[in-house]
């Protein structure tokens, strides 16, 4: 029997599902406790069926570590870039649970990035860099949803990316190629890539 009475007269329920125990006290009557346990069992079974690993207490920093270990390292060559972005994400969001993150928090994160991450030639990072950090946040939470570690909304989707001008297409003209070719020819590592570019239209 999952419903029992305590010495002082109140009732409580206790049951176990998939190696996890659930208990709640403070019910005035046995019937009240029985009704509550029915509702709770249905809720637990529905959640476990939909998402066996789901935990609404999951913190972003913990999901980011799982994402890095199980997805970034095995499948991405740019793991160093992801590692740097994840470090900044963890510093900003700290112990915050994913379900507690709001679009306003994401806005604040976008403002935090240029103040924290330096650009290659500027004291602040560019809008493109901010967009990459934003995209990393989206990717981590979406991956968690796909793996059924998290089933709530992705707050990063509620914030628009900044519009960034596309880089201008630059052509290498014949007279420029004549001047550049003998210089690049001295660089043995660069030479094969240089030759391939003009001759393939890349």
């Amino acid at each position: 029997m999952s419903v029992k009475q305590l010495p002082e007269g109140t009732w409580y329920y206790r049951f176990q599902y998939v190696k996890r125990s659930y208990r709640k006290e403070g019910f005035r009557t046995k019937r009240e406790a029985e009704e509550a346990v029915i509702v709770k069992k249905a809720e637990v079974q529905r959640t476990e069926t939909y998402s066996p690993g789901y935990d609404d207490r999951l913190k972003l920093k913990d999901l980011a570590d799982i994402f890095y270990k199980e997805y970034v390292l095995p499948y991405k060559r740019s793991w160093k870039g992801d590692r740097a972005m994840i470090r900044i994400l963890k510093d900003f969001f700290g112990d915050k649970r994913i379900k507690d993150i709001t679009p306003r928090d994401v806005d604040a994160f976008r403002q935090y990035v240029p103040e924290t991450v330096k650009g290659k030639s500027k004291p602040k990072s560019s809008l493109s860099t901010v967009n990459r950090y934003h995209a990393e946040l989206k990717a981590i939470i979406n991956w968690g949803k796909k793996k059924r570690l998290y089933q709530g909304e992705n707050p990063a989707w509620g914030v628009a990316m900044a519009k960034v001008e596309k880089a201008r297409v630059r052509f290498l003209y014949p007279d420029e190629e004549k001047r550049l070719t003998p210089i690049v020819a001295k660089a043995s590592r660069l030479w094969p890539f240089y030759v391939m570019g003009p001759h393939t239209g890349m």
Side-chain angles (χ1 to χ4, degrees), residues 79-111:
W79 59 269
K80 289 183 180 179
D82 286 86
R83 183 178 63 184
M85 288 189 283
I86 286 173
R87 185 178 67 250
I88 298 297
L89 279 162
K90 290 167 69 174
D91 287 344
F92 179 80
F93 289 102
D95 290 327
K96 205 154 194 172
R97 296 179 299 182
I98 300 171
K99 74 172 189 175
D100 295 330
I101 297 173
T102 67
R104 287 179 63 86
D105 294 323
V106 180
D107 274 325
F109 175 66
R110 287 185 60 88
Q111 295 173 17

Side-chain angles (χ1 to χ4, degrees), residues 3 6 10 48 52 56 59 63-64 73 84 91 93-94 100 108 140-141 148 151 154 166 175 185 198 201:
V3 172
L6 292 167
T10 59
E48 292 292 343
D56 65 358
K59 298 175 182 177
L63 178 59
L73 286 178
D91 287 344
F93 289 102
D100 295 330
I140 291 170
I141 298 176
R148 295 188 175 181
Q151 66 176 6
N154 187 338
K166 293 183 178 179
D175 61 324

Side-chain angles (χ1 to χ4, degrees), residues 54-162:
Y54 170 72
D55 182 357
D56 65 358
R57 297 167 297 178
L58 183 64
K59 298 175 182 177
L60 178 64
K61 68 177 186 179
D62 295 329
L63 178 59
D65 286 338
I66 299 171
F67 172 80
Y68 179 75
K69 180 181 178 181
E70 297 185 9
Y71 175 70
V72 173
L73 286 178
Y75 301 110
K76 296 186 72 175
R77 292 182 178 179
S78 60
W79 59 269
K80 289 183 180 179
D82 286 86
R83 183 178 63 184
M85 288 189 283
I86 286 173
R87 185 178 67 250
I88 298 297
L89 279 162
K90 290 167 69 174
D91 287 344
F92 179 80
F93 289 102
D95 290 327
K96 205 154 194 172
R97 296 179 299 182
I98 300 171
K99 74 172 189 175
D100 295 330
I101 297 173
T102 67
R104 287 179 63 86
D105 294 323
V106 180
D107 274 325
F109 175 66
R110 287 185 60 88
Q111 295 173 17
Y112 172 80
V113 171
E115 298 295 335
T116 309
V117 181
K118 293 183 179 180
K120 292 183 178 180
S121 58
K122 299 178 181 179
K124 293 184 180 181
S125 54
S126 65
L127 285 177
S128 296
T129 299
V130 175
N131 282 347
R132 283 196 292 274
Y133 278 77
H134 188 164
E136 185 81 357
L137 175 61
K138 279 185 183 180
I140 291 170
I141 298 176
N142 282 340
W143 184 84
K145 288 167 68 70
K146 182 180 178 181
K147 295 297 181 181
R148 295 188 175 181
L149 298 171
Y150 172 71
Q151 66 176 6
E153 296 295 325
N154 187 338
W157 280 107
V159 178
M161 294 266 197

Side-chain angles (χ1 to χ4, degrees), residues 172-187 190-191 194-195 198-199:
L172 186 65
Y173 293 98
D175 61 324
E176 293 176 322
E177 183 182 353
K178 287 179 182 178
R179 296 197 306 269
L180 187 61
T181 298
I183 298 172
V184 180
K186 298 175 183 178
L190 182 61
W191 177 249
Y194 172 76
V195 172
H199 290 84

